[in-house]
Amino acid sequence: MPGSATTGLSFQTPLIFEQGAPARHAASLRPDDLPRVDAKAVLGEMARDVPPVLPEVSEPEAFRHYVRLSQQNFAIDIGMYPLGSCTMKYNPKVNEWAARLPGFGDLHPYMPDELVQGALELMWRLERGLAEVCGMDRVSLHPAAGAQGELAGLMMIRAYHQAQGRDPKKVLIPDTAHGTNPASCALNGLRAVPFPAGEDGIVTAEAIAPFVDDDVAAVMATNPNTVGLFESHIAEIAELVHSKGGLVYGDGANLNALMGKARPGDLGIDVMQFNLHKTFTTPHGGGGPGCGPVGYKALLDPFAPVPVVEKRDGRFVLDQGSRPNSVGRLRSFQGNFGMMVRAYAYLREMGAEGLRQATELAVLNANYLRARLGELWHVPYDTTCMHEVVISDRHLKESGVTTMDVAKRLMDYGFHPPTVYFPLVVKGAMLVEPTETESLQTLDEFVEVMKTISDEAFADPDFVHAAPHSTRLRRLDETQAARKPVLRWTAPETPTEPSSASGGTAETRP
Ligand SMILES: Cc1ncc(COP(=O)(O)O)c(C=O)c1O
């Protein structure tokens, strides 16, 4: 964005639209080598009378532009990304290789089943692998994200009740829940009813009992929950809700702390979503393609979204219509197939033992940080945690430095900030999720940096308030950035005269 406040020394170079010069180009074709196309004949009135104002740049300029852009963002491939609740673990590159194999990457969603047997078999196998991990009977691979998986699961629950001539409307949700839980209820015409977690951060059957009645469609519980603790009463809660005809939705976003050790299906959960981009290492961030499969018990099978991959007479088919009570289609085609390939590659690479080990290391790393950060920082739930730990800015009160300042200053030290001000039940919360893919050295470095920032907060609070100091953009107005993002470059008032759209001449060729 031209004109924005910039700092970082290496980031002052203008953006690509401000670079180059008329007739500079990156191709080695002469205009005469290109076929002449009559734009008017092809595009009719949509053809342009005036060529668009496009940057005319050399190959190095174009390449540097994109590399520079990639450097202006933080990524898991650059450093530790302890964004609690998001499981930003390393995405193995073998997954990328697998997803790009031409037999997968070049498929078209309209290809007939006979020509895509391998892809359908992969989906069929992935479904079985995920079902085994979560202890469910079946898994729909259709939803596009965790939140859409929640929506799909709640739609199935609602359809299940309606098929029995009931229409309960309440969904009980603990006050520690992720915001997508109540949103998914609202989108599905259900009412989210919050109930309190106990002092120790977990929910009990006693706490939920006063809310359980015949109007309860489901309880929605995240396990481990969003303060990083294992919900040890979930089986009792499930029994209570089932006794009133309700079902149990398990938010499976935090499965990274359970897989290979415990299965939600064995704990009384009827339906849950997987966040493949968390637990199963498919890349995420930036709103890219996602996949949020939904695992469910057999009682919900008639209502599962379509299409579903079935195996009939030794062949795989994409079944679009044998479930008349299905909640239907939630998105185009069969889902984000590339994400399924990545998750399947991860499952096969890890095997059962590898998944268990990943869980153990994720939990060990989080507890290591709990113990080490706890030497200085306030740890509200100071008990053995699962994959993430909540700390707060309480000890900084006198300095005036807050969680937000700490988060911004971490960027100067090459760490992505943790999740801030969530969970809402902890004042000044920082939710730290190291994941299993960080080494002991990196965890120690993180602890040291957090200590340094704490020292800085008392020695020079203004400096910390003003962080980050080393990024291209400084502190943004986050509300404006979210509500009115400026995503489009606009031409200067007096654009440079565009040269011929077809490129340069022999004299200007590199
Ligand atoms: C506990 C929990 N539930 C649901 C979601 C929603 O998942 P997604 O971002 O894939 O829609 C998240 C995402 O962070 C989460 O942490």
Side-chain angles (χ1 to χ4, degrees):
M1 276 164 274
S4 305
T6 61
T7 50
L9 292 178
S10 56
F11 296 135
Q12 299 286 11
T13 320
L15 296 181
I16 198 157
F17 281 91
E18 294 148 350
Q19 294 181 50
R24 191 178 296 171
H25 66 120
S28 43
L29 288 172
R30 293 159 180 271
D32 293 348
D33 295 336
L34 300 169
R36 299 244 162 247
V37 178
D38 180 354
K40 277 262 182 266
V42 179
L43 297 170
E45 61 183 28
M46 286 171 67
R48 288 175 184 270
D49 294 323
V50 182
V53 185
L54 292 175
E56 297 181 61
V57 291
S58 65
E59 180 172 321
E61 282 172 312
F63 209 87
R64 284 175 189 160
H65 167 73
Y66 287 110
V67 171
R68 194 180 308 113
L69 279 188
S70 75
Q71 289 171 335
Q72 287 172 9
N73 207 353
F74 196 88
I76 188 63
D77 290 341
I78 296 174
M80 181 172 161
Y81 207 135
L83 194 66
S85 200
C86 293
T87 313
M88 304 301 289
K89 58 174 156 175
Y90 179 70
N91 309 136
K93 298 303 168 247
V94 68
N95 298 355
E96 300 305 313
W97 165 83
R100 284 168 177 73
L101 287 171
F104 292 141
D106 295 348
L107 297 183
H108 191 281
Y110 280 134
M111 285 168 87
D113 291 354
E114 314 80 80
L115 295 183
V116 291
Q117 283 294 300
L120 295 181
E121 180 169 354
L122 182 142
M123 291 169 73
W124 190 85
R125 284 173 178 268
L126 176 62
E127 179 185 337
R128 266 122 208 104
L130 294 178
E132 179 60 31
V133 170
C134 71
M136 295 288 170
D137 295 309
R138 291 216 62 172
V139 176
S140 165
L141 302 174
H142 190 58
Q148 206 188 28
E150 289 171 30
L151 178 65
L154 288 171
M155 287 169 79
M156 289 161 73
I157 289 178
R158 195 163 172 208
Y160 162 85
H161 287 305
Q162 286 175 344
Q164 297 182 355
R166 303 180 61 227
D167 198 12
K169 285 282 190 260
K170 290 202 297 195
V171 179
L172 306 179
I173 302 184
D175 55 7
T176 47
H178 194 262
T180 49
N181 289 189
S184 300
C185 292
L187 269 179
N188 194 26
L190 295 166
R191 190 155 49 87
V193 177
F195 68 94
E199 289 281 289
D200 55 358
I202 60 174
V203 292
T204 58
E206 291 77 55
I208 198 178
F211 298 87
V212 180
D213 57 27
D214 292 343
D215 196 30
V216 169
V219 61
M220 213 171 175
T222 310
N223 200 10
N225 64 23
T226 55
V227 298
L229 301 178
F230 184 72
E231 292 289 2
S232 48
H233 303 288
I234 195 73
E236 272 170 80
I237 291 172
E239 212 176 297
L240 178 65
V241 174
H242 284 151
S243 73
K244 291 283 182 188
L247 295 183
V248 182
Y249 185 94
D251 183 328
N254 296 338
L255 193 69
N256 206 45
L258 281 194
M259 59 177 179
K261 300 296 263 188
R263 307 193 314 163
D266 299 339
L267 300 174
I269 295 194
D270 300 298
V271 50
M272 62 166 278
Q273 99 277 2
F274 295 81
N275 289 35
L276 290 191
H277 46 289
K278 301 184 183 184
T279 319
F280 295 89
T281 65
T282 66
H284 67 314
C291 190
V294 178
Y296 54 87
K297 295 273 176 63
L299 81 172
L300 291 170
D301 191 44
F303 315 104
V306 288
V308 178
V309 178
E310 302 285 11
K311 190 175 181 183
R312 293 187 188 133
D313 303 327
R315 307 293 291 162
F316 297 95
V317 291
L318 206 52
D319 182 351
Q320 312 268 1
S322 68
R323 282 176 176 71
N325 293 324
S326 158
V327 296
R329 215 172 239 295
L330 296 169
R331 46 151 299 130
S332 58
F333 305 116
Q334 53 278 349
N336 281 322
F337 178 67
M339 294 302 145
M340 299 174 203
V341 179
R342 289 171 173 88
Y344 185 69
Y346 180 68
L347 262 180
R348 295 304 300 260
E349 174 88 21
M350 299 294 278
E353 190 43 46
L355 293 184
R356 188 172 309 124
Q357 207 182 9
T359 298
E360 287 169 356
L361 290 175
V363 173
L364 181 65
N365 279 359
N367 278 288
Y368 181 75
L369 284 188
R370 180 178 62 83
R372 295 260 358 247
L373 290 171
E375 292 162 10
L376 180 63
W377 298 80
H378 169 231
V379 180
Y381 305 105
D382 202 3
T383 176
T384 308
C385 63
M386 299 294 282
H387 60 306
E388 57 194 355
V389 59
V390 195
I391 60 171
S392 89
D393 59 1
R394 198 170 76 177
H395 83 284
L396 298 179
K397 196 155 186 267
E398 300 275 283
S399 73
V401 165
T402 63
T403 283
M404 185 57 81
D405 300 322
V406 175
K408 300 293 183 192
R409 185 72 180 124
L410 272 170
M411 293 157 75
D412 289 332
Y413 286 104
F415 287 96
H416 194 283
T419 293
V420 293
Y421 301 110
F422 180 83
L424 303 175
V425 290
V426 174
K427 193 163 177 291
M430 282 172 256
L431 185 59
V432 185
E433 181 177 5
T435 83
E436 71 277 15
T437 56
E438 296 306 333
S439 68
L440 182 59
Q441 287 84 347
T442 308
L443 299 184
D444 283 339
E445 228 177 279
F446 180 72
V447 173
E448 281 312 307
V449 163
M450 287 292 281
K451 179 172 182 317
T452 307
I453 296 173
S454 170
D455 292 345
E456 288 173 349
F458 291 102
D460 191 354
D462 287 344
F463 187 72
V464 186
H465 287 314
H469 299 278
S470 63
T471 52
R472 178 171 183 273
L473 298 180
R474 301 289 294 275
R475 269 198 209 201
L476 301 171
D477 177 333
E478 301 201 352
T479 313
Q480 289 289 320
R483 304 245 163 90
K484 292 191 181 158
V486 182
L487 301 174
R488 211 172 151 183
W489 181 86
T490 37
E493 300 274 292
T494 47
T496 34
E497 201 51 41
S499 69
S500 96
S502 56
T505 61
E507 292 78 68
T508 59
R509 290 170 62 195

